Amino acid sequence: MRARSTSLLLLPGLAFLLVGFLLPAAAMLFAPPGVTFLQVLERMGAMLTDPYDLGIMWRTVRIGLVVTALCVVLGFPIASLLARSQSRWAGVLLALAIFPLLLSNVVRTFGWLVILGSNGVIGQILTGLGVVDDAPQLLYTEVAIVLGLVQLFLPLAIITCYSAVAQVDPGLDEAARGLGASRTRAFWTVLVPLSLPGIVVAATLVFAGSVTAYTTPYLLGGSSQRMLSTQLFSYASVTVDWAAASATAIVMTVLVFLVSGLSSLVGRKGATS
Amino acid sequence: MSQVLSQAGKRSLRLRHPVAGTLAVAGYVVMIVPILFVVATSFTAGSTLRFPPDGFSLRWFAEAAAYTPFVEALVSSLQLAVLATGLALLLGVPVTLAIHRGRIPGKELLEGLFLSPLVVPELVVGLALYQQLMIGLGLNNFSTLLLGHTALLLPYAVRVTGASLALADPALEEAARGLGASPLRAFVTVTLPMLRPGLISAGLLGFVTSFNNVPLSLLLQTRDFRTLPVTMLDYVQQSYDPMVAAASTIVLAATVVVAVVAERTVGFAKIFGGINR
């Protein structure tokens, strides 16, 4: 293909990417309307010293870390089970794990309102058994957000780990077992280390998704459990504070980039050692 | 479920471990059970969103189907998803061809550029489009949504069709050209059929991604044109009745249909899980 026709193929897509994504994003981050970049930086500096704003950042990171840990701990066993099984049920269970990815996050998150709400299933069970007199506040807590996010991102963790486990030669675990290692030992010394790059990718995707998710903290966290995303929305739409909105957007983007960069560094190091 | 899981593990060597089995069951419970509660409460005859439901009726389905904001938002979301997917493929396929078949420097950089909308948080992209295009340039919200959704789907269009193209032998296209076919004819008769699985995958993936999107679309709503997930989200804030559960159940049923179509055409796990089983 000649260079001229190649550029003709590329041009419409590039122009679109520029107008529909790159230019607006750059303009918003570095030069919001009526605000200088210096003012955005000042605002960010104020946020990084303000206890309320710092609390929101810390909550976001904390929830992201807990959700990531839970998704790996629950997702990896499921992935190894499905990838190694010969059973015909494995296909069904794999489909069941992937299906939620197609389903609206809003629909998936609504279920927790029924379970955790003031008249919710858990509250009814606890009061019904006489464990407590009044149903505890479960909705609009960090626990609710964590549950909602684990539900949302577990499928992603499972399929990423699944691809990693599927690439590990089953002969290797059998060799370890043949050499006298217990199942548990073969799992920890063969399967986990060899799947580690996939686990790192899964953890990165889950973390990046959790710290930027909006639907879950909005529905299950309410205004008492603000995260960066719900805070960003309120700056942009309720108070219309462009400097604060851009500063929050930069913090969120840097957080995601930092973790992605760190993970690809770990991945590369793992590949060479 | 636990029996199914332990049976599934029976012939595998490593995970008949009780701890692993328990974790796996817990994982499935968290993923699936909340969805079942939504479905169960949508058939209630009562007027609150609670479990167990008060009796059985289809009244909330009738109410959801007659509720104008939901119906209008559904039509809007379908329009947007179809247009954005079509546009993303129209722009993305030429890019894929250029990257895989062209002789140009910096291919990896170029591909990275087209994948970049996946890296920046969607809420941040939404804010940028709202502030710069809708407020700054006075673009209407439908055009802005279409621009944003298309940019969001471009990575899928480029990467997924690229995976198909990477498997296709360029010699076939060259043979067609050598036998006298014009570049366009060679593309339509040779390259396009090879791209078919990639086009179907990218199309389904794009449609579902656009239809379900909240973070990017959130700030780009107006009274004239609203998307369904955001309309449902707003509705829950105002009232806590089972109509929204009924609407959710309808969306769930439609999603099952999409999954079946995906399974029949290219393979469900291949498209949405990226898994080649």
Side-chain angles (χ1 to χ4, degrees), chain B residues 8-120:
Chain B
K10 200 150 273 177
R11 255 170 286 170
S12 77
L13 281 169
R14 40 219 66 80
L15 270 178
R16 253 167 48 187
H17 202 277
V19 175
T22 311
L23 291 174
V25 173
Y28 272 97
V29 167
V30 171
M31 278 193 294
I32 305 297
V33 167
I35 304 173
L36 300 180
F37 275 111
V38 175
V39 176
T41 48
S42 67
F43 288 100
T44 184
S47 50
T48 50
L49 193 65
R50 66 192 293 268
F51 189 89
D54 306 317
F56 176 89
S57 87
L58 296 174
R59 72 180 261 218
W60 294 107
F61 286 91
E63 296 213 12
Y67 184 62
T68 325
F70 280 179
V71 178
E72 282 178 0
L74 172 67
V75 173
S76 302
S77 278
L78 287 173
Q79 279 175 345
L80 180 64
V82 168
L83 284 173
T85 307
L87 200 56
L89 285 174
L90 222 56
L91 293 163
V93 171
V95 170
T96 315
L97 285 171
I99 289 176
H100 286 266
R101 296 289 192 257
R103 288 188 205 97
I104 40 160
K107 281 185 184 175
E108 276 181 22
L109 196 75
L110 207 60
E111 196 169 15
L113 196 65
F114 277 98
L115 297 184
S116 64
L118 285 182
V119 197
V120 178

Side-chain angles (χ1 to χ4, degrees), chain A residues 15-22 24-25, chain B residues 80-81 83-85 87-88 91 114-118 120-130 133-134 139-156 206 209-211 213-221 225 227:
Chain A
F16 198 91
L17 199 64
L18 223 56
V19 175
F21 170 62
L22 291 171
Chain B
L80 180 64
L83 284 173
T85 307
L87 200 56
L91 293 163
F114 277 98
L115 297 184
S116 64
L118 285 182
V120 178
E122 283 177 39
L123 198 64
V124 173
V125 181
L127 169 64
L129 299 180
Y130 171 61
L133 302 182
M134 252 172 87
L139 214 62
N140 72 33
N141 87 308
F142 173 72
S143 319
T144 315
L145 273 169
L146 185 58
L147 264 171
H149 278 226
T150 308
L152 182 70
L153 304 187
L154 259 180
Y156 298 103
T209 306
S210 165
F211 186 84
N213 185 276
V214 169
L216 179 67
S217 318
L218 192 66
L219 285 162
L220 310 175
Q221 306 285 323
F225 192 94
T227 62

Side-chain angles (χ1 to χ4, degrees), chain A residues 85 93 102 124 162 173 183, chain B residues 8 13-14 28 51 212 277:
Chain A
S85 172
L93 286 170
L102 280 71
Q124 283 180 49
Y162 181 96
D173 347 355
R183 265 189 203 100
Chain B
L13 281 169
R14 40 219 66 80
Y28 272 97
F51 189 89
N212 290 334
R277 233 179 117 85

Side-chain angles (χ1 to χ4, degrees), chain A residues 82-188:
Chain A
L82 297 182
R84 287 293 194 248
S85 172
Q86 304 294 320
S87 161
R88 64 198 168 88
W89 285 102
V92 177
L93 286 170
L94 181 65
L96 206 60
I98 297 173
F99 176 75
L101 286 174
L102 280 71
L103 187 60
S104 161
N105 288 357
V106 178
V107 172
R108 287 200 270 163
T109 310
F110 278 155
W112 294 107
L113 297 178
V114 183
I115 297 172
L116 303 173
S118 47
N119 264 325
V121 178
I122 292 183
Q124 283 180 49
I125 292 173
L126 289 179
T127 46
L129 292 175
V131 180
V132 287
D133 291 332
D134 294 305
Q137 176 69 33
L138 296 166
L139 207 57
Y140 312 124
T141 61
E142 256 181 62
V143 175
I145 301 180
V146 167
L147 281 171
L149 288 174
V150 169
Q151 180 205 14
L152 231 49
F153 292 110
L154 192 52
L156 196 62
I158 293 174
I159 57 167
T160 313
C161 291
Y162 181 96
S163 307
V165 173
Q167 275 162 10
V168 176
D169 183 355
L172 290 174
D173 347 355
E174 272 153 36
R177 295 273 292 131
L179 290 169
S182 68
R183 265 189 203 100
T184 315
R185 192 167 162 161
F187 176 80
W188 284 108

